Amino acid sequence: MATTFNEQFDELGSWRREFALRLKLLGEWMKDHELLDAAVEERLRRLETQVRSDKVMVAFVAEFSRGKSEMINAVFFAGYGRRIMPASAGRTTMCPTEMGYDPEVPPCLRLLPIETRLEPQALMEWRQAPEKWVRIDLDVNNPHQLAASLEKVSEVRKVTQEEARALGFWHPDNPQDNPVLDDKGMVEVPKWRHALINIAHPLLKQGLVILDTPGLNAIGAEPELTVSLIPQAQAVVFILGADTGVTKSDLSIWREHLITDPANSDARLVVLNKIDTLWDALSTPQQQQQQIERQKADTASILGIPPSQVIAVSAQKGLVAKVTKDASLLEQSCLPVLENALGRGIMGKRQRILGNAMAQGIAELRAETGRVINIRKRDLAEQLIELKGLQGKNSTVIKHMRARIAEEQAEFDRGGAKIHAVRSVHLRLLRDVFELLGPKRLKAEMKQLSEALLQKGLKLGVKKAYGQTFEQLRANLTQVQSLSAEIFSMLGGTFKQLNSEYSFSLQAPPEPQMGRFITDLDAIEASHLQYLSLGNAFKLAQPEFADRLVRALATRLRTVNESALAEIELWSKAAAAQLDAQMRERRKNFSRRIEAIDRIHQAAGGLEERITEFEQQEVVLDQLELKLVELTSYLVAARDAGDYEPTVDLQIA
Ligand SMILES: Nc1nc2c(ncn2[C@@H]2O[C@H](COP(=O)(O)OP(=O)(O)OP(=O)(O)O)[C@@H](O)[C@H]2O)c(=O)[nH]1
Ligand SMILES: [Mg+2]
């Protein structure tokens, strides 16, 4: 039974690796038996990529100095034997810092200069341009060098008030939140906009991404962080200090980042840190415990959550305990309780989502492949009857039979035109779908929203402007849904016709459901409105700000549209591939029959041999069918997967 987060993450990793391996073996086996058509291959490839590259992001969010970076050090990096992420009194982490692993990139720290905020691109777009980031190579075997390089995330620089305004750190309309000026009238701002750390830490290698955020003072935070990066994290850890209690600014951060999606409350953890500040030599352990419980209860009631959802720890003592291998201090720090909650909550959920996607994908693939095997079996059975009918017949009858098959074949080839017509209707409808969810349409919607938000005195109209845009986006998805339904019924009709005409066994796969994407849109809209309602709407008066916000929105919406399109594409590919596969099997069938008859004709007495040969092939097909079930059953059983259970037998006959 795994207890720490690290162990649970490791287990998820082995589970995923085993899945990827099984998918690969299944693909190879299918290829060897000519069962791998284009759609099946694509489905397998997507599942494999999903299972291999699946990322889990854990974001740490809190007011400055609550111990975010220290907690990251304690939970993830204690193995280095020292503090890796800078953690110190006062404001330390100045820019959002993401830690992950990309094997294509050497171990390094990449920093995006703050001045990029003056340019229109969203953060997501900057990620595509690694050459614009400042890169510092990291020596992962040297914890000292590693920690020294990471100090960069605390760097600041001084700018004029005007520059600060342009960068989004100074708002003339909201003087009480502005930073203090130094004696020369300059403002201190972060030097970097975002930091990416790439290291081959075992957890990061398995797809964990950690997001450390700077204490978010109301003014300087990047809107994209609030409306895009944090909402997309699989888990958010919100930290409070036992020494400070819940302050007003803690509460505003809680409102801005953590209560946007009540349906997803198990994906957030509330941590009361620094409980060691309550350990004092003059009170008994019982008194201390009581005090901690009281603090937990107070915290819970202010945040409006059950006290059981607040975890009290000491990150710093936890780190010290791990580094000095002090088991009793570790227990006292309660860090293992937090790790366990992180592990259970995130890993369990992740595994379920992945397992269900896998099970569904493989079940469909199994059905499609099973159909192809069945066609082969049926064709073979018919041929056997045909051949057996030739027993004892003279060569005229045989010649006659050959002519009949050749005629059938020619007729089948003539039918190709009809199939072509089906294809072109299918493609035309798909074009409409692509147009509705394509980049051009989205760009136009975003332009309208930008303009609406920029209109002066619109403060009250913000909700309406968003409402209209999202209404339109939802309408697009609804229309895509009905177009898909139209494609489905058209395919169903023609497939039925083709089935009766050519005795195919085509079955149109059901169209994908757009509901999930509409729910995504709702969540995105809610996070934007929540963000703007919390006293951020006045910033919209600044065109740069409105522009940045809309750009961040656009990148997020693009991914929603792209995933919807990808599903539709795969679906229609699967339908087309089914038709292709059956046509191909039929053509092969014709040539096999003709070839059999020619051979019989040439060598008298070859008939019995052919019959035996065909009978053997029937046995082979039965085995193929069994093997397919065997190779897929483990993958299909992943639905609602519980704990990881190692299995044996990865061998393929
Ligand atoms: N006593 C005590 N101090 C802690 C604990 N956790 C963190 N600290 C200290 O609190 C200070 C701030 O910790 P950081 O990890 O830098 O806090 P942060 O939330 O990352 O702050 P910013 O980066 O400024 O946003 C550091 O001096 C830590 O050593 C704890 O559990 N107990
Ligand atoms: Mg920090």
Side-chain angles (χ1 to χ4, degrees):
M1 171 71 193
T3 45
T4 68
F5 181 79
N6 295 12
E7 282 166 354
Q8 298 203 15
F9 206 90
D10 266 347
E11 283 196 353
L12 181 68
S14 346
W15 183 81
R16 285 172 36 202
R17 273 195 302 278
E18 180 172 347
F19 254 90
L21 182 59
R22 281 178 185 272
L23 283 172
K24 203 165 144 57
L25 293 174
L26 176 64
E28 279 165 7
W29 176 82
M30 290 179 85
K31 196 165 179 188
D32 287 347
H33 295 90
E34 291 176 39
L35 291 166
L36 197 64
D37 66 41
V40 169
E41 193 171 3
E42 168 127 5
R43 190 190 291 283
L44 272 176
R45 216 199 44 234
R46 283 191 194 187
L47 286 174
E48 205 187 319
T49 325
Q50 192 181 358
V51 88
R52 272 197 200 281
S53 64
D54 191 44
K55 299 270 183 211
V56 176
M57 185 188 269
V58 181
F60 287 75
V61 177
E63 187 48 290
F64 73 92
S65 224
R66 297 293 182 263
K68 296 176 293 287
S69 306
E70 194 78 315
M71 203 165 286
I72 291 170
N73 283 323
V75 175
F76 303 104
F77 300 121
Y80 285 108
R82 57 160 294 155
R83 190 171 271 141
I84 293 296
M85 291 294 289
S88 62
R91 300 185 48 122
T92 308
T93 312
M94 295 302 289
C95 65
T97 304
E98 242 176 275
M99 279 154 272
Y101 177 64
D102 175 354
E104 314 271 294
V105 179
C108 66
L109 164 68
R110 273 174 298 168
L111 298 154
L112 185 65
I114 194 75
E115 293 75 24
T116 56
R117 280 203 187 183
L118 301 175
E119 289 170 54
Q121 289 83 356
L123 191 58
M124 297 298 162
E125 294 164 275
W126 286 107
R127 284 173 196 264
Q128 321 292 325
E131 70 281 359
K132 301 282 165 54
W133 297 59
V134 174
R135 200 179 98 183
I136 293 156
D137 288 328
L138 297 175
D139 180 0
V140 287
N141 297 317
N142 180 349
H144 179 72
Q145 192 264 355
L146 192 58
S149 308
L150 298 188
E151 289 284 342
K152 288 243 174 277
V153 303
S154 324
E155 288 181 341
V156 291
R157 45 169 298 212
K158 299 247 172 151
V159 297
T160 63
Q161 216 168 302
E162 190 39 45
E163 283 174 287
R165 194 202 57 77
L167 291 168
F169 292 97
W170 188 271
H171 290 268
D173 304 353
N174 224 35
Q176 73 277 13
D177 277 347
N178 284 338
V180 283
L181 299 174
D182 71 3
D183 46 10
K184 294 194 191 76
M186 302 288 271
V187 185
E188 198 177 81
V189 301
K191 184 163 178 195
W192 311 106
R193 179 180 183 183
H194 203 85
L196 293 171
I197 299 174
N198 191 55
I199 41 174
H201 181 282
L203 293 174
L204 305 183
K205 263 169 104 168
Q206 285 172 37
L208 178 69
V209 176
I210 302 165
L211 175 65
D212 189 6
T213 60
L216 301 157
N217 66 330
I219 222 97
E222 177 126 26
E224 198 168 351
L225 192 65
T226 315
V227 298
S228 196
L229 211 50
I230 294 173
Q232 287 186 92
Q234 275 74 27
V236 180
V237 181
F238 178 64
I239 305 171
L240 296 155
D243 53 346
T244 47
V246 186
T247 67
K248 190 165 158 254
S249 59
D250 286 325
L251 211 50
S252 70
I253 288 173
W254 166 258
R255 293 213 180 100
E256 187 164 320
H257 299 286
L258 288 117
I259 51 176
T260 40
D261 186 5
N264 217 3
S265 65
D266 59 337
R268 92 193 157 200
L269 288 176
V270 177
V271 181
L272 185 64
N273 188 30
K274 307 196 186 184
I275 54 167
D276 57 297
T277 56
L278 307 175
W279 302 345
D280 86 76
L282 297 180
S283 47
T284 66
Q286 256 162 338
Q287 285 169 325
Q288 290 170 17
Q289 194 52 39
Q290 272 170 4
Q291 214 188 337
I292 292 174
E293 290 304 324
R294 201 162 44 239
Q295 278 247 34
K296 271 169 73 170
D298 287 350
T299 306
S301 95
I302 297 175
L303 300 182
I305 55 172
S308 59
Q309 274 188 24
V310 181
I311 301 171
V313 305
S314 166
Q316 195 190 55
K317 296 293 182 259
L319 176 62
V320 172
K322 281 188 178 178
V323 169
T324 58
K325 303 200 168 38
D326 181 341
S328 88
L329 182 62
L330 185 62
E331 202 193 322
Q332 213 187 350
S333 76
C334 294
L335 197 65
V337 179
L338 167 65
E339 294 184 338
N340 194 22
L342 260 178
R344 257 186 296 118
I346 308 163
M347 297 309 126
K349 195 167 135 204
R350 210 62 207 145
Q351 192 169 2
R352 268 195 308 281
I353 293 175
L354 214 58
N356 286 347
M358 206 59 55
Q360 196 193 341
I362 294 294
E364 282 166 19
L365 181 145
R366 173 148 96 182
E368 277 162 31
T369 310
R371 211 174 293 127
V372 173
I373 295 179
N374 262 322
I375 295 165
R376 285 190 194 167
K377 280 171 87 170
R378 197 197 52 201
D379 285 354
L380 207 59
E382 281 173 6
Q383 283 174 52
L384 256 175
I385 296 173
E386 200 171 79
L387 288 184
K388 282 181 178 160
L390 288 179
Q391 279 169 325
K393 295 284 170 14
N394 62 26
S395 75
T396 328
V397 178
I398 294 177
K399 243 191 231 157
H400 187 72
M401 161 97 60
R402 190 191 193 284
R404 219 190 59 217
I405 298 172
E407 174 50 33
E408 248 182 79
Q409 185 179 26
E411 196 184 325
F412 180 75
D413 287 342
R414 281 194 294 275
K418 205 178 301 168
I419 286 158
H420 190 71
V422 177
R423 289 247 162 87
S424 69
V425 179
H426 186 177
L427 282 179
R428 186 172 51 72
L429 289 170
L430 272 183
R431 251 201 311 276
D432 293 347
V433 169
F434 277 75
E435 157 36 51
L436 277 166
L437 298 181
K440 228 161 127 189
R441 173 72 72 113
L442 186 62
K443 210 168 160 191
E445 311 281 8
M446 291 299 104
K447 190 158 170 269
Q448 269 185 9
L449 178 64
S450 260
E451 282 163 9
L453 290 180
L454 272 178
Q455 275 164 29
K456 281 211 163 64
L458 188 93
K459 268 182 199 166
L460 290 173
V462 167
K463 203 169 164 187
K464 201 168 140 211
Y466 267 91
Q468 277 167 351
T469 304
F470 276 84
E471 218 29 74
Q472 188 54 50
L473 296 171
R474 278 187 286 261
N476 289 347
L477 280 174
T478 314
Q479 204 182 333
V480 164
Q481 185 74 73
S482 61
L483 278 171
S484 311
E486 200 179 320
I487 298 179
F488 176 68
S489 82
M490 183 210 64
L491 285 178
T494 25
F495 277 13
K496 214 157 135 195
Q497 203 184 341
L498 292 172
N499 286 350
S500 73
E501 213 162 307
Y502 301 111
S503 56
F504 280 160
S505 57
L506 295 164
Q507 201 178 356
E511 76 271 26
Q513 293 303 311
M514 293 295 117
R516 184 159 66 81
F517 303 107
I518 293 183
T519 315
D520 284 350
L521 288 185
D522 293 343
I524 295 173
E525 183 182 12
S527 74
H528 271 249
L529 290 179
Q530 166 85 359
Y531 175 68
L532 289 167
S533 73
L534 289 165
N536 287 316
F538 75 92
K539 296 184 196 160
L540 285 171
Q542 258 178 290
E544 299 96 327
F545 176 87
D547 209 42
R548 262 207 300 274
L549 193 65
V550 172
R551 275 192 168 253
L553 176 65
T555 51
R556 185 119 184 253
L557 292 173
R558 201 177 319 136
T559 38
V560 175
N561 280 1
E562 278 167 6
S563 351
L565 273 181
E567 258 189 40
I568 292 190
E569 213 180 339
L570 187 59
W571 164 64
S572 64
K573 236 187 204 164
Q578 225 187 82
L579 187 52
D580 282 344
Q582 301 207 10
M583 304 264 296
R584 200 174 45 235
E585 290 292 329
R586 181 59 52 89
R587 290 206 186 93
K588 257 202 272 181
N589 182 27
F590 280 127
S591 30
R592 217 168 25 226
R593 283 159 74 194
I594 290 182
E595 191 201 61
I597 290 186
D598 285 347
R599 299 235 312 243
I600 293 161
H601 200 63
Q602 280 155 14
L607 180 59
E608 294 310 317
E609 259 169 52
R610 295 261 90 192
I611 289 177
T612 328
E613 207 178 288
F614 273 51
E615 276 165 352
Q616 277 162 358
Q617 277 180 33
E618 262 186 332
V619 177
V620 171
L621 282 176
D622 282 338
Q623 285 168 349
L624 217 56
E625 207 168 25
L626 284 176
K627 195 77 203 174
L628 175 68
V629 173
E630 188 191 316
L631 286 175
T632 49
S633 58
Y634 177 86
L635 296 163
V636 171
R639 194 181 301 276
D640 297 320
D643 287 331
Y644 168 75
E645 269 179 56
T647 46
V648 279
D649 183 30
L650 278 170
Q651 296 305 312
I652 288 191

